[in-house]
Amino acid sequence: MIRPCLRSVICAALLAVALFSASAGPAAAQTAAAASAPMQISWEVRNRFRLFREERDFLLHADSLRNRGVLASEDALEVQSDGRGWARNMVNRLCIDLQGRVADPCIRDNVKENYLTPIDHAIVVRLTGEVPVGATCAWSFDDGDEPQQSTFDCAEPVNLRVRYGRQTVATVEVSSGSDPSQRISTEIRVRDIFIAGLGDSIASGEGNPDRAVALADEGFCFRYYLGSAAAQYYRPSRGGYKGGRACEAPDSLANWQHYGALWFNAACHRSLYSYQTRAALALAVDYPHIAVTYLPLACTGASIADGLFGSQRARECPPSKSSTTCQAGVNGQLAELRAAVTAAKRRQPDRTLDLVLLSIGANDAYFSGLVADVIVDTATERELFRRTGVMATVDDSRAVLASDLPRGFAKLREALRPLIGDLAHVVYTSYANPALTNGGAPCPGGRAGFDIHPSFNADPQRLADVSAYVQNEFLPQLKALALCQSGILCRDPASDRFTFVEAHQAAFSNHGFCARADSDPAFDKECFSPKGESFDPDIVNSANQPLLCGRSAGEYRAYLPRARWIRDANDSYFAAMTYPQGLPTSMQPADIHDATWGVLSAVYGGAVHPSAEGHAAMADAVLPAASAVLGLDAAEPQVQGQPLAPSGAAQQ
């Protein structure tokens, strides 16, 4: 893909410097050859990832992605932001608000647009190639109505808006002194691609709040389960919180929540870092003649039954809520998508859903229960969680994988077909094994990365058993379900197959939650003990400084490059510290120091979920499949050029 120079004057200046400094020979010949490139009309859509209200946000990613993959871009942006994350300010500049509502209209770059059904697109047009210095360009843009005409110096770009669904013929007449004038024309047609993101926590971006929680130097008290009054421990508090930090000084949940992490949708923990958002954004960057209308609907905790088809509980109340319990639910994603497509077709009958990005099945197969079984080690907590159904065994998951999940996939296909038509346009992205390192060896287990809670300890044998099950049974069965293979019953295997993506799994085999490297952030190496001894057990000392390393917890950076692409429990707490309000009444904690909050705040912010780097690696795997399904590499109309007829010549 060739990106035109932003200003021909700058290009000419750079060329002059190169010619002045270069010696005669092959290099000079190559420069002369480049200068002799024929003139042509180049154009691209401006701010073409339509979720962004402001072009500066798109340009940040366009610049970062230039000659890079999504992962390399993410690493560069992480360093550029000093680990604070590029999304922390963009989250308030979207066409979808923090409650998940699409803005209608959405004011993008000072122009009101209908998000789902745009009527036009902003583009920039330039004349590139060997443009004579000082040449004058007479432009004409004809979409079938009255042509738009203007005359500029050829070094100046032309900004205009072209109609949705219409072809615009761009013509320029180039005049330069006594040289013969030349006419050049090309066809402009913006393809607006409608992409929906569906699925569970892996699809939503769980583990990666758009603005990470701020942490304080002081400790915050949690209780143990079934412990005495003295059975307490301290972990870092939230930055800015001035309420009761001691267990004997409870405070309101509303006050505590005011200082939490920020998601662009708190109820579903949707994040701009999710692989679905990053893939849709990268498509917009890579293909300058398209616009991408992206509708994110994935929700953490979703299963096929409860999340895609049916409603589910909100993970957290929207920021405007202040009640201590969260009654709000989240509508089923398929119903939301159906309503959006119907509304779009009502305005524009030819509007179609072009692509669905999908990851689902882990919650159906009790994956979070398997994680709990691995990391919860103390007898009291294990018994309590077993009774409340929080924990699950490999046999529990295997039973669902063999019976319920195939039926769920069959039902899902039938629901998606009327919305997308060709099921190959559903790009199913598989999960990665989160517990591998060193080319596929299972993580050894232990408390490293999990000592944020006293009851956590990744049991080596349970961890090895779950890792083997995921690698040898769970992931292969998901592939078979998506592709109608290995005896999976599909009505018509040829037309029922999803497009399947798994290329990222090989890379994740070196980047599980236990992966460590010398290049990891200094805070991680100094403060997260490889022996699982990161926090001061002394109840008096830890109230003022819970970290044994002596550094401020506020120095942790959620968005710096790390060897691990999977958040461990320490990461989950330090990045999000989630107090999930969407819990059944029987599980609602008594106050903000309750033992239940101590456990949930360590895992419900994304423990054992991909980091932003992991999501970027997944997006890199998705891009080739998505562009192939959409046919984005097909040939485009050629630019046509010819000299103008001499003045006074007979018109043909």
Side-chain angles (χ1 to χ4, degrees):
M1 178 182 63
I2 299 174
R3 294 187 180 275
C5 184
L6 290 178
R7 293 191 180 275
S8 298
V9 172
I10 296 175
C11 293
L14 292 175
L15 179 59
V17 171
L19 290 173
F20 178 81
S21 60
S23 60
Q30 290 174 9
T31 303
S36 64
M39 288 187 291
Q40 63 177 337
I41 297 173
S42 298
W43 65 276
E44 62 180 277
V45 183
R46 300 186 60 175
N47 194 9
R48 50 190 177 270
F49 187 59
R50 300 187 60 251
L51 184 66
F52 290 165
R53 287 179 180 266
E54 299 185 14
E55 189 174 29
R56 58 175 167 161
D57 295 331
F58 175 76
L59 292 177
L60 175 71
H61 286 278
D63 182 65
S64 182
L65 281 162
R66 187 174 292 113
N67 300 319
R68 289 189 180 119
V70 183
L71 175 58
S73 170
E74 176 60 33
D75 283 342
L77 289 171
E78 289 185 352
V79 173
Q80 180 179 323
S81 70
D82 188 31
R84 300 176 189 276
W86 52 263
R88 67 190 186 281
N89 295 320
M90 290 185 196
V91 67
N92 291 317
R93 300 195 292 262
L94 305 176
C95 281
I96 296 177
D97 67 19
L98 299 180
Q99 283 72 44
R101 297 184 298 251
V102 173
D104 187 11
C106 182
I107 301 176
R108 302 182 67 246
D109 300 313
N110 299 315
V111 176
K112 289 183 178 180
E113 297 182 10
N114 185 285
Y115 186 68
L116 295 179
T117 52
I119 62 172
D120 56 16
H121 294 89
I123 68 168
V124 60
V125 183
R126 298 178 177 90
L127 185 65
T128 60
E130 189 181 8
V131 181
V133 177
T136 299
C137 283
W139 292 93
S140 175
F141 300 94
D142 188 355
D143 64 0
D145 292 335
E146 184 176 349
Q148 302 178 53
Q149 297 178 335
S150 56
T151 301
F152 298 103
D153 186 298
C154 289
E156 292 299 317
V158 181
N159 290 288
L160 71 153
R161 299 186 74 88
V162 295
R163 295 282 296 276
Y164 166 86
R166 281 197 188 185
Q167 177 176 285
T168 298
V169 177
T171 303
V172 62
E173 294 183 3
V174 184
S175 302
S176 177
S178 60
D179 294 338
S181 298
Q182 186 172 357
R183 178 186 287 120
I184 303 167
S185 64
T186 193
E187 297 170 356
I188 296 174
R189 189 183 185 98
V190 177
R191 181 180 174 190
D192 193 291
I193 296 174
F194 185 6
I195 300 175
L198 302 178
D200 53 24
S201 54
I202 300 299
S204 73
E206 178 69 277
N208 302 281
D210 299 277
R211 188 180 301 157
V213 66
L215 299 173
D217 294 349
E218 302 85 5
F220 183 84
C221 181
F222 294 104
R223 300 186 185 91
Y224 287 93
Y225 278 108
L226 305 180
S228 64
Q232 304 172 358
Y233 65 97
Y234 279 84
R235 293 296 183 261
S237 184
R238 289 181 173 180
Y241 174 71
K242 303 300 182 184
R245 294 185 294 106
C247 284
E248 296 76 22
D251 197 356
S252 70
L253 180 60
N255 187 29
W256 177 249
Q257 293 290 65
H258 182 70
Y259 302 97
L262 181 66
W263 307 80
F264 89 75
N265 181 266
C268 285
H269 277 194
R270 291 182 196 135
S271 166
L272 290 173
Y273 293 103
S274 90
Y275 85 83
Q276 295 187 342
T277 305
R278 297 306 303 275
L281 172 56
L283 284 172
V285 169
D286 286 351
Y287 295 92
H289 294 175
I290 69 170
V292 171
T293 300
Y294 170 61
L295 184 64
L297 296 171
C299 196
T300 190
S303 65
I304 293 176
D306 301 318
L308 290 189
F309 282 97
S311 62
Q312 64 177 104
R313 287 182 175 272
R315 180 54 50 102
E316 294 184 70
C317 284
S320 60
K321 301 288 184 178
S322 60
S323 60
T324 56
T325 59
C326 183
Q327 302 299 323
V330 178
N331 292 335
Q333 295 171 43
L334 290 170
E336 289 285 303
L337 180 57
R338 194 176 298 114
V341 171
T342 300
K345 284 184 174 294
R346 189 179 301 120
R347 294 190 184 99
Q348 292 176 349
D350 62 342
R351 187 63 155 152
T352 59
L353 179 63
D354 298 294
L355 191 73
V356 170
L357 301 175
L358 173 68
S359 292
I360 198 70
N363 292 318
D364 302 76
Y366 307 139
F367 193 81
S368 62
L370 295 177
V371 171
D373 187 42
V374 168
I375 69 173
V376 178
D377 199 49
T378 55
T380 299
E381 280 79 2
R382 287 187 65 80
E383 181 60 27
L384 285 171
F385 291 163
R386 191 178 290 112
R387 289 181 182 178
T388 55
V390 172
M391 293 169 57
T393 66
V394 167
D395 285 340
D396 295 332
S397 179
R398 185 179 286 129
V400 172
L401 200 62
S403 58
D404 295 352
L405 207 52
R407 289 195 292 268
F409 265 70
K411 185 179 178 184
L412 180 57
R413 282 187 172 89
E414 295 309 307
L416 287 172
R417 198 186 306 277
L419 295 170
I420 195 69
D422 184 355
L423 290 180
H425 283 241
V426 177
V427 177
Y428 182 93
T429 305
S430 189
Y431 306 93
N433 191 327
L436 300 180
T437 189
N438 298 326
C443 289
R447 284 179 55 76
F450 291 91
D451 53 337
I452 190 67
H453 193 276
S455 73
F456 290 174
N457 180 26
D459 179 83
Q461 188 57 57
R462 293 196 298 266
L463 177 59
D465 291 344
V466 168
S467 180
Y469 165 70
V470 169
Q471 195 70 22
N472 301 324
E473 298 182 56
F474 178 68
L475 294 179
Q477 178 71 347
L478 282 181
K479 183 175 183 178
L481 287 167
L483 294 177
C484 299
Q485 295 176 343
S486 303
I488 298 299
L489 295 178
C490 291
R491 187 178 63 179
D492 179 5
S495 63
D496 282 359
R497 296 187 185 100
F498 297 151
T499 295
F500 185 75
V501 173
E502 61 178 349
H504 55 287
Q505 291 175 352
F508 270 87
S509 67
N510 289 301
H511 295 282
F513 64 74
C514 62
R516 301 291 186 270
D518 291 340
S519 58
D520 283 349
F523 180 93
D524 294 28
K525 292 188 290 184
E526 293 179 27
C527 296
F528 290 154
S529 164
K531 297 181 180 180
E533 299 172 351
S534 307
F535 303 96
D536 194 335
D538 185 277
I539 196 73
V540 176
N541 294 336
S542 59
N544 297 306
Q545 174 51 275
L547 283 166
L548 282 171
C549 68
R551 295 182 63 164
S552 166
E555 296 179 47
Y556 174 83
R557 294 290 181 265
Y559 299 107
L560 281 177
R562 291 175 168 85
R564 62 185 181 278
W565 292 352
I566 299 293
R567 301 286 195 199
D568 55 32
N570 291 3
D571 293 325
S572 173
Y573 186 95
F574 275 62
M577 203 191 305
T578 296
Y579 272 37
Q581 294 164 276
L583 296 172
T585 303
S586 61
M587 293 182 64
Q588 286 291 335
D591 63 64
I592 62 174
H593 301 283
D594 190 282
T596 300
W597 283 140
V599 172
L600 299 182
S601 65
V603 294
Y604 268 52
V608 198
H609 284 76
S611 66
E613 287 181 282
H615 278 282
M618 295 175 72
D620 277 326
V622 169
L623 277 174
S627 60
V629 165
L630 293 168
L632 292 178
D633 293 315
E636 298 204 12
Q638 297 295 312
V639 174
Q640 300 176 356
Q642 68 274 344
L644 290 179
S647 177
Q651 299 297 313
Q652 300 297 320

